[in-house]
Amino acid sequence: MKKVVIASSNAGKLREIARILEPLGLDAQPQGHFGVPECPEPHVTFIENCIAKARHASAHTGLPALADDSGLCVDALNGAPGVYSARYAGDPRSDARNNHKLVEALRGEANRKAHYYCVMVYVRYPDDPQPLIGEGRWHGEIIDSPRGDGGFGYDPYFLVPEFGKTGAELDMDSKNRLSHRGQALRELAGKLQNLGI
Ligand code: IMP
């Protein structure tokens, strides 16, 4: 098995990524195992931050690296909170305060359309000129009152109209099948497989 360092310390994400990479002969190892320090994310686009994280993890370990970046983009807010999704309401980071700020920002707004976005980047080495990229978008609408107690982040306010359920009301398997992260990961895995990486 070829080792790949994963530029994330979220246990749920790591499990999801490891499960998809394993059949490709890739052994996903969290960057925490190698003492990789946190990477700055100074950019205004998901893709730039994601490439920075993958390069950083590869540079610190000498291994190929996979990074992900994701967030919520709301149409009526010109794509906000976007790359600032985790820290929309400032520090300390809080889902409750982020959700409150989102609902307030959309008060009286008729256009409730939003999507979660995720990008995943794989680099073979830090200065890889051809990073492999997978993307996913999960479309929904922002509602005013929370529903459900699963998921995390903005999920209780993110209604998926086809299912009449919020992200927090869907079971884990359904969410993984539909979500921006699942889509991005499958697209990236397909590219890794096609190139025989
Ligand atoms: P990160 O990519 O884990 O840093 O996620 C950035 C932020 O986007 C999270 O802290 C959440 O606020 C939001 N986010 C990303 N994906 C999801 C999701 O699947 N459900 C709810 N919130 C999400």
Side-chain angles (χ1 to χ4, degrees), residues 59-180:
H60 277 272
T61 58
L63 292 170
L66 188 156
D68 81 300
D69 205 33
S70 64
L72 178 74
C73 298
V74 179
D75 289 14
L77 304 177
N78 294 333
V83 296
Y84 307 107
S85 292
R87 50 197 152 118
Y88 186 37
D91 285 324
R93 293 175 180 208
S94 150
D95 287 343
R97 290 192 309 110
N98 288 343
N99 282 319
H100 179 73
K101 181 168 175 178
L102 177 66
V103 168
E104 285 304 313
L106 288 176
R107 192 164 294 286
E109 173 60 57
N111 179 3
R112 315 297 295 191
K113 286 197 183 121
H115 62 273
Y116 282 126
Y117 174 79
C118 178
V119 61
M120 298 240 174
V121 167
Y122 179 94
V123 294
R124 286 160 283 195
Y125 19 81
D127 54 356
D128 189 344
Q130 297 180 83
L132 295 181
I133 296 168
E135 281 185 298
R137 286 178 183 77
W138 192 21
H139 293 276
E141 290 167 14
I142 304 303
I143 56 174
D144 281 326
S145 307
R147 283 169 40 185
D149 47 22
F152 68 100
Y154 299 94
D155 282 343
Y157 294 85
F158 184 78
L159 180 72
V160 188
E162 306 91 279
F163 293 84
K165 287 185 176 180
T166 66
E169 290 175 312
L170 288 167
D171 60 82
M172 184 81 88
D173 281 348
S174 306
K175 188 178 171 191
N176 287 342
R177 203 173 53 247
L178 300 166
S179 82
H180 50 312

